[in-house]
Amino acid sequence: MWQELYRLAYRYLISLGLAREDAEDLAQETMVAACLHLDGVQPGKLQAWIIAVARHKFIDWLRRAGRGVSLLYLPDAEPDEATGGPEERALREEGRQEIMAALNRLEPTERMLLVLKYNMGLKGEEIAAYMKMKPNTVKVKLYRARQRFKAEYNRILEGRK
């Protein structure tokens, strides 16, 4: 269980744009906080709570680094440098940049919903708990965010032609 929660916090922090080393450090800090305050977590909301703690650790890290708090950073899949040749890696990177450009055109709430759903793998109820929304509201907003993402992504692809 603890390893899964650590991986969840780590993936979330990576998705915010942190370097691996910083994400590892903050994920460890998140787990320490989890150990100290686990008794106050409502049943069934542990994953959403871990992400909230990781986000707070990230905000504290930004403040300590003097970078200000300009959330939301966007997901950036970890590079898979070990597979494929240079051309394949370049194509993957180009695709990643196009996805990031499309995400950057969305509203912060839409980006956060997509990150929590597709990057973090959270369920609708967990997202609702984290975002302090009703589950049905999450469903509707996720649907709209997906539609806007598709439209923005298609615009980027059309502009590439």
Side-chain angles (χ1 to χ4, degrees):
M1 174 180 99
W2 289 107
Q3 288 178 337
E4 288 177 31
L5 293 174
Y6 173 84
R7 281 193 297 269
L8 177 69
Y10 175 78
R11 283 194 328 259
Y12 175 71
L13 293 163
I14 287 290
S15 77
L16 295 176
L18 282 175
R20 290 180 185 191
E21 298 80 21
D22 293 328
E24 288 171 359
D25 291 344
L26 291 182
Q28 288 175 359
E29 287 182 31
T30 299
M31 297 314 295
V32 169
C35 289
L36 296 174
H37 303 288
L38 191 61
D39 57 335
V41 180
Q42 295 177 359
K45 297 189 177 183
L46 183 59
Q47 289 183 327
W49 182 77
I50 287 289
I51 289 174
V53 172
R55 184 171 191 216
H56 290 286
K57 296 293 180 187
F58 175 67
I59 291 169
D60 292 343
W61 178 83
L62 285 175
R63 286 186 182 130
R64 283 192 311 265
R67 297 179 184 172
V69 181
S70 61
L71 296 178
L72 167 79
Y73 286 93
L74 297 173
D76 187 6
E78 290 186 58
D80 190 4
E81 294 133 9
T83 60
E87 294 158 3
E88 188 177 328
R89 286 194 301 266
L91 286 173
R92 271 198 312 266
E93 181 57 30
E94 182 180 345
R96 204 176 351 257
Q97 288 175 1
E98 290 166 344
I99 290 170
M100 293 299 292
L103 284 171
N104 279 326
R105 294 179 180 183
L106 301 179
E107 296 295 320
T109 301
E110 293 172 325
R111 287 189 300 239
M112 180 60 87
L113 287 167
L114 293 174
V115 165
L116 292 172
K117 175 71 176 172
Y118 297 106
N119 192 279
M120 304 308 302
L122 295 185
K123 295 178 180 140
E125 300 82 30
E126 295 167 326
I127 295 170
Y130 176 72
M131 300 286 291
K132 295 181 173 83
M133 295 178 181
K134 294 179 181 177
N136 285 339
T137 303
V138 169
K139 287 179 187 177
V140 170
K141 287 185 179 276
L142 264 172
Y143 174 80
R144 291 178 182 160
R146 280 191 301 268
Q147 297 306 313
R148 288 223 27 233
F149 173 80
K150 288 177 190 176
E152 295 299 336
Y153 187 71
N154 286 332
R155 280 190 201 110
I156 290 168
L157 292 180
E158 288 172 10
R160 191 172 64 162
K161 293 179 183 177

